[in-house]
Amino acid sequence: MPSPRRAGPTADPAPGMPIARTRRAQLMQFAAHPDDDLYFMNPDTQRMLDAGVPLVSVYVTAGEHTGRNRVAGMPETPPDRAAYSSARHQGLRQAYATLLGLDMFAPWQKGVVTLHGGRRAEIDTLVHNGRRVELIFLNLPMHTSRRYMALPALWHDRALELRTHLSAGSPVDRSDTYDHDQLVDVLVGLLDRYRPTVVQTLDPDPDIQLSDEATRKRDSEQPGYSDHGDHTAVACFSWEALIRWVADTARSGGTIPAFVATAFRGYYNRHWPKNLPPQVLKEKAGHLVPYGGDPSWECGNPSGCGDYGVGGDRPLTNKKGWVRATHHRWPGTGPAVVTRPDGRLDAYGVLGLRAVRWRETERGSGLWGEPEDLGGGPLAPALGSATLPDGRVLLFGVRFAALGGHGGPNRREVVLLEQRSPGGPFLAWRGLGNPERGDDRGRRIGVPVAVTARDGRVHLFVRDADKGVSTRVREADGDWSAWRVLEGGVEVQDGLNAVVDGSGRIHVLAAGRESVAHWIDGRLADPLPLAGDPVSAVPAARGVGVYYRRPADKALLSSASGGNASFDGYGPVAAAADADGTVLLGRDLRGRIQLRRGGRLWTRTQGAAPVQAAALCLVPGGPGGPGGPGGPVAVGLGSDAHPWLWRPVAAPQL
């Protein structure tokens, strides 16, 4: 009998909860299949492993598929699901051994971990030079028939129970059953066991993607959406577990777990420009080679030495191009950083699915106090922000208003937190609704982006379900207009950028499918050349200077210079203008934070590994002494779930 239906976790916007204190970094990722992390979460995972952050990676399905470990040009073999699952697990061990810098056939310690409810799973552990990787295989089924998707059905159906597969050679020698709530309980138990500071998942809300059945099957996508059905279901289970973990902790009187969450796009990569330059792509694809393996290898696993259909050069020659991009589901521009009236900095971000504020301990110190809980949860990872003419801050987020499976509501809403006084406390959270009608379309909205116009009105923008841009405006008296869609009918990626130029016009820029879309005061302007990542813009006297990288290009395109700026790297770039010209902040080809100002380049080489994007802030210079210097400052979140501040160069003293 399935367990009684449990009500899904609900939104808890009230502030003031205590937040756990930890400076111990731990990365935890949840994947549907063996290889999802290698295809969609790298190079982010690799960068944290390189920095010594321990990793535990949870694979929900056995990856058994049809049981055929296909090799092009070789005879078909009879299907063997237990052997194919085992071969894929061996491929993962080979891949993560190379990620730790070891020979791919390095021996692992295999064991059994007891989960919530007495269920058991295989756990494989590898330690090298103080770095640690743990792989946990829950082994739920991928498919129960040709047309039936087991995990999506488990997400929707309360009465369903699934029995786990046994992988050949595994120390787990008996099957277990799972219903919906039991799987969530197991995931919550793992979160509570490891208490990660960084959590990586797949995309719970993939784009609507209409295609004919032949195209859908060729692209391995679920009907109507740009991802595999297992990816979406496991992501929804993962986010329900995160929400329940936080809610259970708060309800029991404990502290809110301090973690940063990130979700990654999946088969979305097939449909949009590729964003990894050759050097980064080579490194990422290189770790899929040991995962794919080869039947001629002597790896010590009788069931197979990898997922042979993925071996060799196949990740790069596959027309689907999944490996050629890494996209975050909610791409942000880093913490929202504001200078307080006394000169200290405030940084706003999302921690434990709730909005928090960190305050600089002293002006210019670069040291942060403990996070102050502002509530609002459960929130998606990125916040938008705007500052009113009187200095008050507005924060915008996307709230998981409902997420509980069983065919129940799965709802998102845009929410607002408005500061009561500059540098002071906040009013209660306020819902701003959703530009879409219905839960299914409403789940597809992107990160809110806002800008304050010269007349004091705040213009809010979000990517909508049609992949266009919707907007809502806050009048100077605090009233909000209705949602409306910007003209043009163009499709864009998330990661919008909004700025006000020197003449007061509002510019919105977004990386599209064939060009960069550019709106000026709500009207579509001439398109700009194609971009692989979100676009950054700097106000000019009349117009904006635009900075971004073309698809699969390490060089930075600059409209201000009429060509490339010397700032090789990958991923989005933040830009701001100071007395010495444009300041640029981004990642170099090794994933390190770098800053360019006045023709000079600085690279951040110390401190916790950065997570997500970093924010660029220009701090006014001050007198000597304890006030500290001004100049460009980078602020980001580290793998220890604590903010860092990097001031590579000081501005001249006034």
Side-chain angles (χ1 to χ4, degrees):
M1 287 288 293
S3 57
R5 176 170 178 171
R6 179 186 298 170
T10 58
D12 178 22
M17 292 296 298
I19 299 176
R21 298 183 179 185
T22 179
R23 298 303 296 270
R24 172 198 57 83
Q26 172 71 63
L27 170 60
M28 191 171 196
Q29 56 192 26
F30 295 97
H33 313 125
D35 78 4
D36 288 343
D37 43 346
L38 302 176
Y39 268 113
F40 306 118
M41 299 178 183
N42 264 339
D44 292 40
T45 298
Q46 181 187 348
R47 302 307 183 209
M48 278 184 272
L49 279 176
D50 289 346
V53 178
L55 165 68
V56 57
S57 192
V58 180
Y59 304 91
V60 174
T61 79
E64 80 287 355
H65 194 41
T66 62
R68 296 184 183 274
N69 202 353
R70 298 179 181 273
V71 184
M74 293 186 66
E76 289 279 352
T77 57
D80 186 336
R81 287 182 168 85
Y84 184 39
S85 173
S86 175
R88 296 186 76 176
H89 295 174
Q90 174 63 25
L92 277 174
R93 290 188 289 269
Q94 291 165 181
Y96 275 103
T98 64
L99 278 160
L100 288 183
L102 291 167
D103 179 86
M104 61 183 168
F105 301 139
W108 290 65
Q109 179 183 348
K110 288 187 179 183
V112 177
V113 59
T114 301
L115 308 171
H116 185 277
R119 291 168 183 81
R120 303 196 304 167
E122 179 179 338
I123 180 169
D124 296 348
T125 305
L126 183 62
V127 179
H128 176 60
N129 287 342
R131 296 187 296 160
R132 182 182 187 91
V133 173
E134 296 172 79
L135 310 178
I136 297 177
F137 303 107
L138 301 187
N139 281 358
L140 275 74
M142 280 185 66
H143 304 280
T144 54
S145 70
R146 175 174 293 188
R147 294 180 176 272
Y148 184 65
M149 301 285 288
L151 263 295
L154 189 68
W155 171 254
H156 291 291
D157 187 351
R158 183 180 69 87
L160 180 65
E161 289 186 332
L162 296 178
R163 180 166 291 278
T164 59
H165 277 280
L166 294 179
S167 179
S170 172
V172 176
D173 57 6
R174 63 172 172 82
S175 294
D176 292 309
T177 59
Y178 283 82
D179 67 13
H180 178 112
D181 286 318
Q182 290 164 349
L183 176 55
V184 176
D185 286 341
V186 162
L187 299 182
V188 171
L190 287 169
L191 286 164
D192 204 49
R193 178 194 299 254
Y194 286 96
R195 303 196 69 82
T197 52
V198 181
V199 178
Q200 298 185 161
T201 79
L202 297 169
D203 181 358
D205 301 322
D207 280 355
I208 294 171
Q209 191 73 42
L210 302 178
S211 59
D212 60 78
E213 186 173 3
T215 301
R216 178 181 65 80
K217 288 184 176 180
R218 181 195 68 203
D219 293 343
S220 309
E221 296 183 347
Q222 61 191 303
Y225 305 95
S226 61
D227 212 347
H228 194 290
D230 284 354
H231 294 177
T232 305
V234 168
C236 287
F237 276 116
S238 301
W239 279 83
E240 183 180 356
L242 287 170
I243 294 168
R244 188 175 293 175
W245 183 38
V246 173
D248 289 351
T249 304
R251 191 162 43 245
S252 66
T255 56
I256 298 296
F259 65 90
V260 181
T262 302
F264 291 83
R265 297 284 195 179
Y267 291 176
Y268 173 102
N269 295 356
R270 163 76 174 80
H271 301 279
W272 294 92
K274 309 304 181 281
N275 64 356
L276 297 181
Q279 297 92 323
V280 180
L281 173 61
K282 180 180 179 181
E283 188 177 27
K284 178 182 177 180
H287 293 297
L288 277 154
V289 174
Y291 166 75
D294 188 273
S296 67
W297 290 0
E298 296 181 4
C299 64
N301 184 40
S303 296
C305 298
D307 187 354
Y308 299 147
V310 182
D313 64 353
R314 295 179 187 88
L316 293 174
T317 57
N318 188 325
K319 293 182 180 179
K320 297 171 185 176
W322 299 330
V323 74
R324 295 180 175 273
T326 300
H327 289 288
H328 291 173
R329 170 59 179 89
W330 296 284
T333 55
V337 183
V338 179
T339 303
R340 299 176 63 192
D342 63 6
R344 290 184 293 164
L345 297 179
D346 284 350
Y348 299 91
V350 177
L351 192 66
L353 307 184
R354 300 166 70 86
V356 297
R357 172 170 60 185
W358 292 276
R359 316 205 86 160
E360 194 177 19
T361 56
E362 294 183 14
R363 183 184 175 197
S365 70
L367 301 176
W368 301 98
E370 295 300 321
E372 173 191 356
D373 175 45
L374 302 178
L379 297 172
L383 295 177
S385 67
T387 303
L388 297 174
D390 63 3
R392 289 182 294 139
V393 173
L394 304 181
L395 299 176
F396 303 90
V398 174
R399 177 187 289 158
F400 286 79
L403 177 68
H406 304 317
N410 198 343
R411 187 178 306 122
R412 313 288 177 266
E413 66 173 332
V414 180
V415 290
L416 163 68
L417 186 63
E418 181 174 331
Q419 201 167 34
R420 189 187 301 272
S421 60
F426 287 82
L427 302 171
W429 283 90
R430 176 182 178 183
L432 296 180
N434 193 304
E436 299 292 349
R437 294 180 181 271
D439 290 358
D440 188 64
R441 288 180 60 84
R443 291 170 56 189
R444 318 302 158 182
I445 61 172
V447 177
V449 174
V451 66
T452 303
R454 283 186 174 181
D455 59 8
R457 298 197 302 167
V458 176
H459 295 253
L460 174 66
F461 304 95
V462 297
R463 183 184 190 247
D464 55 39
D466 289 326
K467 310 180 187 77
V469 178
S470 291
T471 183
R472 199 174 181 190
V473 180
R474 180 191 186 276
E475 301 294 335
D477 61 5
D479 289 339
W480 284 88
S481 71
W483 289 101
R484 68 179 181 87
V485 179
L486 293 187
E487 70 171 31
V490 296
E491 293 189 347
V492 299
Q493 299 193 72
D494 203 12
L496 311 179
N497 191 290
V499 297
V500 179
D501 70 14
S503 61
R505 299 183 303 170
I506 297 173
H507 297 252
V508 178
L509 297 107
R513 200 180 300 280
E514 298 177 353
S515 63
V516 170
H518 181 194
W519 289 269
I520 304 176
D521 286 340
R523 301 186 64 85
L524 196 62
D526 291 338
L528 300 173
L530 187 62
D533 284 300
V535 176
S536 186
V538 174
R542 183 168 179 80
V544 291
V546 183
Y547 300 86
Y548 59 89
R549 293 188 172 91
R550 293 179 183 269
D553 195 344
K554 67 178 182 180
L556 186 69
L557 183 66
S558 166
S559 66
S561 63
N564 291 339
S566 178
F567 199 63
D568 289 355
Y570 73 95
V573 170
D578 72 356
D580 285 346
T582 301
V583 181
L584 300 173
L585 179 73
R587 290 179 182 260
D588 68 8
L589 292 170
R590 294 170 57 186
R592 302 174 301 181
I593 301 296
Q594 60 177 349
L595 184 142
R596 181 177 180 268
R597 177 179 185 248
R600 293 187 61 191
L601 187 68
W602 290 264
T603 302
R604 179 177 178 267
T605 57
Q606 296 180 336
V611 179
Q612 304 172 347
L616 175 62
C617 180
L618 298 182
V619 179
V633 169
V635 177
L637 290 176
S639 54
D640 57 358
H642 195 76
W644 50 264
L645 184 148
W646 181 48
R647 181 182 281 109
V649 56
Q653 299 293 322
L654 298 179

